[in-house]
Amino acid sequence: MDYAATDADFRAMPGHLIRRMNQNVTALFRDRMGAMNLDLTPVQFAVLAALDEVGETDQAKLAVLVAYDKVTIGGVVDRLVAKGLVDRRPSKIDRRAKVLRLTQTGTVLLDRARPTVRDLQDELLGGLTPEEAETLVTLLAKAAGQAAGRDPR
């Protein structure tokens, strides 16, 4: 596609369409979590899922895992600690560093939210055939740099 031809119509630009999709994702996520009486944002879910996957880790590595900058992830972690979902304690290896891990409450909440988040993925792509949905996810991963070897894991 010739993106220069879309200059007159911003609505056809990939950046605009990705922003719109992000708005849809965020709104649906909040609706679904609210219906379950869960106070959880998409980024908080990603942090909980990453900690569940890797176990104990430091904040810098967590930021890389969820593709967030170190400063912003600090606020997310602070809120999760305040909610009792994440535990932060000094590292046994480096006393200056802090390590993070899921609490039991965090694990229970994550397990409760996961089925709804999985269903939400299908809902987001509901207008696509299974093949189109698979292609879109593959292309989004490639565009985000994961397929080009920049996956933070």
Side-chain angles (χ1 to χ4, degrees):
M1 177 174 199
D2 180 10
Y3 294 111
T6 63
D7 284 349
D9 187 1
F10 70 91
R11 290 173 291 271
M13 293 179 173
H16 175 74
L17 293 169
I18 292 167
R19 182 185 62 78
R20 290 289 314 278
M21 192 65 175
N22 183 58
Q23 288 174 319
N24 293 343
V25 170
T26 302
L28 283 170
F29 190 95
R30 290 196 176 170
D31 286 350
R32 298 306 177 274
M33 292 300 111
M36 296 176 67
N37 292 319
L38 296 179
D39 179 21
L40 193 64
T41 68
V43 174
Q44 290 172 347
F45 176 83
V47 166
L48 296 177
L51 288 173
D52 186 53
E53 180 183 314
V54 301
E56 194 171 89
T57 192
D58 63 59
Q59 196 164 296
K61 289 178 187 162
L62 179 64
V64 171
L65 284 171
V66 297
Y68 239 57
D69 65 272
K70 291 179 192 176
V71 174
T72 306
I73 202 72
V76 174
V77 168
D78 288 346
R79 286 184 284 285
L80 292 171
V81 168
K83 291 178 183 182
L85 304 175
V86 171
D87 181 53
R88 178 174 32 210
R89 60 182 57 183
S91 168
K92 294 176 184 171
I93 299 167
D94 180 356
R95 291 306 227 183
R96 296 168 297 167
K98 303 275 190 207
V99 292
L100 306 167
R101 67 178 177 87
L102 275 180
T103 64
Q104 182 63 35
T105 302
T107 300
V108 168
L109 184 139
L110 180 62
D111 289 344
R112 187 171 163 218
R114 269 193 170 126
T116 300
V117 173
R118 270 190 230 108
D119 291 345
L120 175 61
Q121 306 313 301
D122 292 336
E123 187 176 344
L124 289 168
L125 303 179
L128 304 176
T129 67
E131 295 79 19
E132 288 171 333
E134 185 177 336
T135 298
L136 176 62
V137 171
T138 299
L139 292 173
L140 287 170
K142 185 176 183 178
Q146 294 176 2
R150 293 190 299 249
D151 187 346
R153 288 177 285 159

